[in-house]
Amino acid sequence: MSTSTAKQPFDIDLALRRIEAAVEPYPKAAMFELAELGYATPFEQLIACIISIRTRDEESLPISRRLLDVARTPAAVAQLTPQQIDQLITPSTFHERKSYQIQTIARQIVEQYGGELPCDEQALLAFSGVGVKCAHLALGIACDQPWISVDIHVHRVTNRWGYVAATTPEQTMVELEQVLPREQWVNINRLLVPFGKHICTGQLPRCSTCPVLDMCQQVGVERHR
Ligand code: SF4
């Protein structure tokens, strides 16, 4: 649905300020919640992001804590067998494959980097099982570096706004790098994950009470609440 009233140029800072207030009652995105709970090293964030792939935040948060409470460092995780890791992360989707990936990553960090994962994009992307989304999220949260992490929520919401026009999350990331102010690169994931889960939902977004309705082009929205 494209509304008939003319929209102003999209003021991203204003939109994110309104969204910050709107998502206040909802749980934080899992990785940011984990960081606030003290699991904030690049290794902890990377492992937690791998665990979260195709797994709901409500499940992945306690699963990550269960593993990290047993072993928090690359050296400690490398001491576990993939089977032991698998037992700890089993409710996670693809847990068997992830347990091997996590053990291998921990071992490689010990062997290649003396047990400390560097804040380096290429180092993170070199690991099997680590894509751009997780690498950027870990670097953004744990290393305080400006990286954009585009998951399905960031992709859907920014395209509905008309802020970008992309068909894949990868394209959305490239377009966001052109238009989004750097100081919002990490923030956009922090805010749009809960916003996309609870307000600008995949089906029947809650447009009638949305705090950015007056700014949004509602691209591709056929039906809403
Ligand atoms: S809920 Fe509706 S108005 Fe709000 S951002 Fe999503 S599509 Fe736009």
Side-chain angles (χ1 to χ4, degrees), residues 116-191:
E116 188 144 348
L117 180 58
C119 286
D120 179 84
E121 185 198 28
Q122 291 310 311
L124 269 63
L125 290 175
F127 296 126
S128 172
V130 177
V132 172
K133 181 173 76 93
C134 278
H136 283 189
L137 203 50
L139 291 169
I141 297 174
C143 303
D144 203 21
Q145 293 180 356
W147 294 97
I148 301 174
S149 179
V150 176
D151 75 340
I152 194 64
H153 300 294
V154 175
H155 173 61
R156 182 177 65 247
V157 172
T158 55
N159 277 276
R160 281 178 172 170
W161 286 345
Y163 190 59
V164 296
T167 53
T168 65
E170 292 75 22
Q171 285 177 7
T172 292
M173 189 187 78
V174 171
E175 291 199 22
L176 284 175
E177 286 173 349
Q178 306 301 315
V179 296
L180 185 65
R182 271 190 171 238
E183 58 271 22
Q184 300 289 12
W185 281 23
V186 178
N187 235 4
I188 198 150
N189 183 286
R190 178 177 73 84
L191 294 173

Side-chain angles (χ1 to χ4, degrees), residues 157 160-161 195 199-201 205-208 210-214 216-219 221 224:
V157 172
R160 281 178 172 170
W161 286 345
F195 183 69
I199 298 173
C200 190
T201 48
R206 296 166 62 181
C207 298
S208 61
C210 176
V212 295
L213 174 61
D214 61 331
C216 177
Q217 294 183 22
Q218 295 170 292
V219 175
V221 176
H224 60 80

Side-chain angles (χ1 to χ4, degrees), residues 3-187:
T3 53
S4 55
T5 50
K7 305 282 182 182
Q8 300 297 316
F10 200 87
D11 183 340
I12 188 70
D13 294 322
L14 176 62
L16 293 179
R17 276 201 303 278
R18 291 183 186 175
I19 286 169
E20 176 110 52
V23 300
E24 218 271 326
Y26 300 111
K28 296 185 176 73
M31 310 296 298
F32 293 88
E33 176 76 28
L34 264 181
E36 285 195 10
L37 291 168
Y39 305 86
T41 68
F43 177 71
E44 289 168 332
Q45 284 287 313
L46 187 66
I47 295 309
C49 192
I50 292 170
I51 289 170
S52 77
I53 294 170
R54 301 283 178 103
T55 304
R56 289 165 2 113
D57 272 6
E58 298 73 20
E59 292 177 303
S60 73
L61 189 66
I63 296 169
S64 295
R65 293 187 68 176
R66 192 158 64 232
L67 171 61
L68 294 172
D69 286 346
V70 171
R72 291 189 72 157
T73 64
V77 173
Q79 293 291 316
L80 301 175
T81 64
Q83 292 72 26
Q84 287 173 315
I85 296 171
D86 190 40
Q87 281 184 350
L88 291 163
I89 69 166
T90 274
S92 172
T93 308
F94 309 133
H95 53 84
E96 199 170 342
R97 187 196 314 163
K98 289 175 182 176
S99 64
Y100 277 93
Q101 289 170 338
I102 290 169
Q103 209 267 354
T104 302
I105 290 170
R107 197 158 31 79
Q108 289 175 329
I109 295 171
V110 171
E111 291 168 1
Q112 295 173 15
Y113 301 112
E116 188 144 348
L117 180 58
C119 286
D120 179 84
E121 185 198 28
Q122 291 310 311
L124 269 63
L125 290 175
F127 296 126
S128 172
V130 177
V132 172
K133 181 173 76 93
C134 278
H136 283 189
L137 203 50
L139 291 169
I141 297 174
C143 303
D144 203 21
Q145 293 180 356
W147 294 97
I148 301 174
S149 179
V150 176
D151 75 340
I152 194 64
H153 300 294
V154 175
H155 173 61
R156 182 177 65 247
V157 172
T158 55
N159 277 276
R160 281 178 172 170
W161 286 345
Y163 190 59
V164 296
T167 53
T168 65
E170 292 75 22
Q171 285 177 7
T172 292
M173 189 187 78
V174 171
E175 291 199 22
L176 284 175
E177 286 173 349
Q178 306 301 315
V179 296
L180 185 65
R182 271 190 171 238
E183 58 271 22
Q184 300 289 12
W185 281 23
V186 178
N187 235 4

